[in-house]
Amino acid sequence: MYQPEVWQGLTSTYQEIKPDNRLNAYIQSYWFSHGDRTEEPARIIPDLCSDLIVQLSPELDILSIELCGPSTNFFYSIVEQPVIYLGIRFYLGGLYPFFNHSFKEMKNQLLALNFIDKVFANDLADVLSGKKSFAAIIKSVDFYFLKRFNRLETKKISQLVREFITSHYETIDYRKEGINNLISERSLQRLFREETGLSPYEAFDVLRFQKVYQELLIDPQIKQLDLVEKYHFFDQAHYTRKMKKMTGLTPSQIKQYVGILQDKY
């Protein structure tokens, strides 16, 4: 199964925790991160996921609950006060079955959950309130989504969305002829925007970026031209534009940064 990589800071407090196995098709991880206004803004890169992000005080009181839709370019997260982030990261389409709204307008959006789905926001706040440890928070969130999972009937992740991600993760190519064998292009576009907020090509574009980024994490010295050819970019200029859009950095800057990370850890 596709597993995304996030941009790690040199002094990152970021930590991922796996959900209950029964939720694995929907939730990629629960994650925690500590933020302070003295820190540099955090670079957030596209990962093909949607997140429910809960801001907690150092005493674990709830400050806010937001929905971060799937992104197609990088952005910065700026902290204005000491805060603990709890994230519930859903695979592409994974939040849709638990949600009472379309994802059509969720791309590149960070919105208060209460504004979109008040009942969902209140339920989640009730689940999190009064917890005194990270372990208690994770146990409660797991139990909450398992209960919701057991009530799911017809609204599940579309099999076509699953098949699209699986096939393009393996082939690293965008082949419309393969898509059209399953469903018309217009129907696939409509399905993707409803369930994920992205078009099929936008999903492929982020998936391709993630594959390149993960290769760089493994081997920062890999030749850029090899990546251009392997992942079917038109040319090196096209590759550079895509990497800059996804990270805000040139390929050379990315390689230098992940090389520093590799030396550090």
Side-chain angles (χ1 to χ4, degrees):
M1 182 182 291
Y2 160 70
Q3 294 296 329
E5 287 286 350
V6 301
W7 188 268
Q8 290 280 22
L10 292 173
T11 59
S12 177
T13 57
Y14 177 87
Q15 180 183 8
E16 289 186 2
I17 300 168
K18 289 299 179 184
D20 184 283
N21 288 337
R22 289 165 288 184
L23 296 170
N24 279 342
Y26 301 87
I27 298 175
Q28 188 269 334
S29 67
Y30 306 121
W31 56 267
F32 284 100
S33 180
H34 296 257
D36 190 281
R37 60 185 176 183
T38 61
E39 298 175 355
E40 293 292 324
R43 187 184 303 270
I44 311 298
I45 61 175
D47 58 13
L48 216 59
C49 296
S50 295
D51 293 66
L52 291 175
I53 302 176
V54 184
Q55 289 193 32
L56 302 166
S57 72
E59 296 75 32
L60 302 186
D61 296 322
I62 301 171
L63 302 176
S64 68
I65 304 177
E66 297 175 308
L67 169 62
C68 183
S71 58
T72 55
N73 48 262
F74 89 101
F75 62 94
Y76 288 112
S77 174
I78 300 173
V79 178
E80 298 180 347
Q81 61 182 327
V83 67
I84 298 169
Y85 291 102
L86 160 66
I88 306 168
R89 175 171 294 123
F90 292 83
Y91 288 111
L92 188 71
L95 179 55
Y96 181 71
F98 301 95
F99 203 51
N100 294 325
H101 294 272
S102 166
F103 260 73
K104 287 180 182 177
E105 306 300 327
M106 299 300 173
K107 180 180 74 175
N108 297 327
Q109 296 294 312
L110 179 64
L111 302 168
L113 184 60
N114 187 61
F115 177 75
I116 309 167
D117 191 331
K118 190 171 184 178
V119 173
F120 192 3
N122 289 340
D123 286 349
L124 193 54
D126 288 343
V127 167
L128 295 170
S129 294
K131 302 302 181 291
K132 302 301 181 184
S133 68
F134 293 158
I137 288 174
I138 293 301
K139 183 177 179 180
S140 298
V141 172
D142 235 7
F143 185 66
Y144 170 70
F145 279 104
L146 279 172
K147 284 200 305 181
R148 294 195 62 152
F149 170 75
N150 289 332
R151 294 199 301 266
L152 293 180
E153 295 178 0
T154 59
K155 194 178 181 186
K156 298 181 181 294
I157 303 175
S158 167
Q159 186 64 26
L160 284 170
V161 173
R162 289 180 184 275
E163 290 177 1
F164 180 93
I165 299 302
T166 299
S167 64
H168 287 81
Y169 180 69
E170 293 171 351
T171 62
I172 326 297
D173 197 4
Y174 187 72
R175 299 173 300 173
K176 289 188 177 180
E177 64 271 21
I179 297 169
N180 291 333
N181 287 334
L182 300 173
I183 190 174
S184 72
E185 179 71 14
R186 178 175 294 181
S187 296
L188 187 69
Q189 292 276 350
R190 186 166 54 248
L191 177 71
F192 256 74
R193 292 193 186 281
E194 169 67 23
E195 295 191 12
T196 73
L198 303 178
S199 71
Y201 184 78
E202 286 172 331
F204 162 77
D205 209 25
V206 173
L207 181 62
R208 176 171 59 177
F209 158 71
Q210 274 281 327
K211 289 290 290 182
V212 171
Y213 178 59
Q214 291 178 30
E215 289 236 26
L216 290 170
L217 288 174
I218 294 169
D219 180 14
Q221 303 308 315
I222 191 170
K223 294 180 179 178
Q224 294 181 21
L225 286 177
D226 290 344
L227 294 173
V228 170
E229 180 177 358
K230 180 175 180 179
Y231 293 101
H232 302 274
F233 293 94
F234 298 130
D235 51 31
Q236 190 161 353
H238 180 223
Y239 166 74
T240 298
R241 285 196 304 273
K242 290 294 185 182
M243 297 302 282
K244 190 76 180 287
K245 176 186 177 184
M246 301 291 182
T247 66
L249 302 171
T250 65
S252 296
Q253 289 171 322
I254 298 169
K255 290 175 69 171
Q256 180 181 21
Y257 185 85
V258 297
I260 293 172
L261 276 181
Q262 202 174 63
D263 291 342
K264 183 176 178 64
Y265 299 109

